[in-house]
Amino acid sequence: MKRALISDLHSNLEALEAVMADIRAQGVAEVYCLGDLVGYGPNPREVIDVAMKCRVCLLGNHDQGALFDPEGFNSGAERAIFWTRQQLENGDSPAQCDRRWDFLGALPRTHQENGMLFVHGSARNPLNEYVFPEDIYNRRKLEKIFSLISKFAFQGHTHVPGVFTEDFNFVSPDEMNYEYRLGAQKAMINVGSVGQPRDGDRRACYVIVEDDIVRFRRVEYPVEQTVAKIYAIPELDNYLGDRLLSGR
């Protein structure tokens, strides 16, 4: 089976549309989204409408923040979530607003199939736990998380793509020539971020999984358009646009 895995869309419509076009060009029909549809960016309604078409879509911490009260968010992220909530409550017909809220409210935290676990954060805390590249030096943390994985886990949340191996290594897409073969060893694969990459590459990131091959894809999109939208919205900090330009 050939499927695309996307995550951390963060209301960035330009990036999502470019990624979806690339997915179609690669001949992929099934798309799994690992959460954080909203937050940070200027087009939450439109991004949710696209995400509704995914075969699988999971709940992210920003999605939960929009549904309830954001916890542990910095001030800029919190303001963005409150603005996002206003956008979802207004601007369309009541039926369409209800449809989006119902969709977010029904999103699961995990999905499993054929030894593969799909989460937003981690196997231990699907919604909120970050697994950063530097965690390879935190042996107890990774041992605990790997103990909860039967074979492979696919996740997002950090916006930093790459593969964590069971022998406590982290391999970036550049280091593996953008391709990783799933084998006997357990692995956690971070699929990166569509809407707000943070690995120094501002291009949108996602992965395609075909049989035992994971391919990381980087996609150019008109980032300046998204930045201009953010700058034009007082409730969204300019910093949220600035970081899109630097990929940080």
Side-chain angles (χ1 to χ4, degrees):
M1 180 189 293
K2 192 175 184 180
R3 74 194 82 178
L5 308 182
I6 62 176
S7 189
D8 297 277
L9 317 182
H10 285 298
S11 302
N12 186 334
L13 183 62
E14 286 76 23
L16 180 57
E17 288 180 337
V19 163
M20 295 303 288
D22 191 72
I23 288 171
R24 291 190 294 270
Q26 299 302 310
V28 182
E30 291 195 343
V31 181
Y32 290 23
C33 177
L34 306 186
D36 271 6
L37 284 61
V38 300
Y40 300 137
N43 290 102
R45 294 191 297 257
E46 296 86 347
V47 166
I48 291 174
D49 290 346
V50 174
M52 284 181 178
K53 302 172 185 176
C54 293
R55 181 181 179 275
V56 172
C57 192
L58 303 180
L59 184 73
N61 61 306
H62 283 256
D63 307 320
Q64 179 173 264
L67 285 163
F68 306 104
D69 284 332
E71 296 182 4
F73 286 22
N74 62 44
S75 60
E78 185 175 86
R79 283 195 298 274
I81 279 295
F82 288 139
W83 175 84
T84 295
R85 188 179 295 172
Q86 292 174 352
Q87 298 306 298
L88 297 180
E89 291 173 346
N90 301 286
D92 276 315
S93 68
Q96 185 69 343
C97 291
D98 289 345
R99 182 168 172 260
R100 294 189 186 111
W101 282 122
D102 290 345
F103 174 74
L104 288 180
L107 292 178
R109 297 187 177 210
T110 65
H111 177 76
Q112 296 190 59
E113 57 182 73
N114 301 322
M116 294 183 177
L117 172 67
F118 303 89
V119 295
H120 179 67
S122 78
R124 181 166 63 174
N125 185 334
L127 206 61
N128 290 309
E129 183 171 40
Y130 292 96
V131 185
F132 289 109
E134 56 266 29
D135 284 329
I136 60 174
Y137 304 109
N138 189 342
R139 196 178 187 96
R140 288 187 62 186
K141 176 179 180 178
L142 288 194
E143 283 178 344
K144 179 59 178 177
I145 296 173
F146 270 116
S147 74
L148 302 172
I149 298 169
S150 61
K151 292 175 67 176
F152 311 114
F154 294 88
Q155 57 207 49
H157 197 33
T158 67
H159 303 205
V160 180
V163 177
F164 296 87
T165 60
E166 198 174 8
D167 56 357
F168 308 105
N169 285 312
F170 177 80
V171 188
S172 70
D174 284 339
E175 293 171 316
M176 66 180 86
N177 197 25
Y178 289 83
E179 185 172 298
Y180 181 81
R181 183 178 294 274
L182 303 172
Q185 190 181 56
K186 292 182 181 181
M188 290 186 286
I189 296 91
N190 191 301
V191 306
S193 172
V194 168
Q196 196 181 88
R198 293 182 185 167
D199 61 338
D201 185 338
R202 73 184 196 178
R203 294 176 297 171
C205 184
Y206 78 100
V207 306
I208 292 175
V209 181
E210 184 175 12
D211 300 323
D212 61 347
I213 300 295
V214 178
R215 294 185 176 89
F216 289 82
R217 301 279 302 172
R218 301 306 293 239
V219 181
E220 297 275 5
Y221 75 95
V223 61
E224 292 82 4
Q225 290 184 27
T226 310
V227 172
K229 289 180 182 179
I230 292 173
Y231 287 174
I233 299 170
E235 294 85 353
L236 299 182
D237 286 359
N238 284 354
Y239 172 65
L240 298 175
D242 296 340
R243 73 186 313 174
L244 293 181
L245 296 171
S246 63
R248 294 293 184 187

